[in-house]
Amino acid sequence: MSIHTNDICIARFSAWVSSQRKLSFTRYRTSLQRGLSVRRRAQLTRQAILDTVEKLFREALKMLYELPFDARSVRVERGWSALTLRILEPFQGFCEALLDDALRFNQSFLAISSIAYERLPGVDYQMAMRRELATAWKDFALTANDLLVETRQDCAAA
């Protein structure tokens, strides 16, 4: 019973992630334009992309929390739930693809054409964004795993 329930939860979550991935670039552009509207110029791309990713990860954690996982028979090995990799899989390549799309968009976005380091960011700026995205990803993965392990412990206590 629990395997079937978990498969359904994973399928629902994966479908939700897929739909959110499609919306993420629009969210990035909205965040970028919001930054421009308040005359933010420093690290505009970095802030817009990080805002986009962090918001998606917060929403994903909320969804994971609300899904009725049955973790009673799910293995936890070295602190990692067997469900964690299945939860993370739909995000594979997400941060890199979003960053690539954002950098490509910025090259032709007239509103930032006068901000050279945003239109054509240097290697150091790009690497800084990648490090921050990696940190956001790591935080999300650890929190998602903690949630799944706690779900298992709650099931065991019940």
Side-chain angles (χ1 to χ4, degrees):
M1 175 72 170
S2 68
I3 292 173
H4 179 67
T5 299
N6 291 339
D7 288 344
I8 291 169
C9 289
I10 296 285
R12 285 181 56 200
F13 184 74
S14 295
W16 179 84
V17 171
S18 178
S19 70
Q20 296 306 304
R21 282 181 76 143
K22 292 173 185 165
L23 295 173
S24 64
F25 181 67
T26 301
R27 284 181 166 182
Y28 164 76
R29 284 192 335 231
T30 300
S31 182
L32 187 69
Q33 290 168 337
R34 189 176 319 116
L36 283 167
S37 72
V38 295
R39 304 225 185 266
R40 182 187 312 143
R41 292 177 64 97
Q43 308 238 336
L44 187 62
T45 302
R46 179 195 137 288
Q47 192 60 53
I49 201 149
L50 204 54
D51 288 349
T52 301
V53 167
E54 287 176 342
K55 183 174 185 194
L56 175 62
F57 289 162
R58 278 192 309 273
E59 291 170 356
L61 289 170
K62 183 178 185 252
M63 180 165 193
L64 284 174
Y65 182 78
E66 293 171 355
L67 286 169
F69 284 100
D70 183 355
R72 287 178 288 205
S73 61
V74 175
R75 284 188 20 237
V76 173
E77 194 169 309
R78 294 185 180 150
W80 287 92
S81 168
L83 292 172
T84 301
L85 285 179
R86 295 180 67 196
I87 290 299
L88 299 178
E89 197 274 324
F91 286 103
Q92 197 67 24
F94 165 70
C95 289
E96 192 65 28
L98 181 60
L99 181 58
D100 289 346
D101 289 345
L103 295 175
R104 206 170 15 262
F105 172 75
N106 286 6
Q107 290 177 9
S108 62
F109 186 43
L110 230 41
I112 64 170
S113 62
S114 65
I115 312 172
Y117 59 89
E118 295 294 346
R119 190 173 57 81
L120 295 168
V123 172
D124 290 344
Y125 187 26
Q126 289 185 42
M127 290 307 294
M129 286 188 280
R130 284 184 170 81
R131 279 191 301 275
E132 288 192 31
L133 289 171
T135 298
W137 171 248
K138 177 183 166 189
D139 291 346
F140 168 72
L142 291 171
T143 304
N145 182 69
D146 288 349
L147 186 137
L148 293 167
V149 169
E150 286 171 18
T151 298
R152 182 177 186 273
Q153 291 169 349
D154 291 345
C155 289

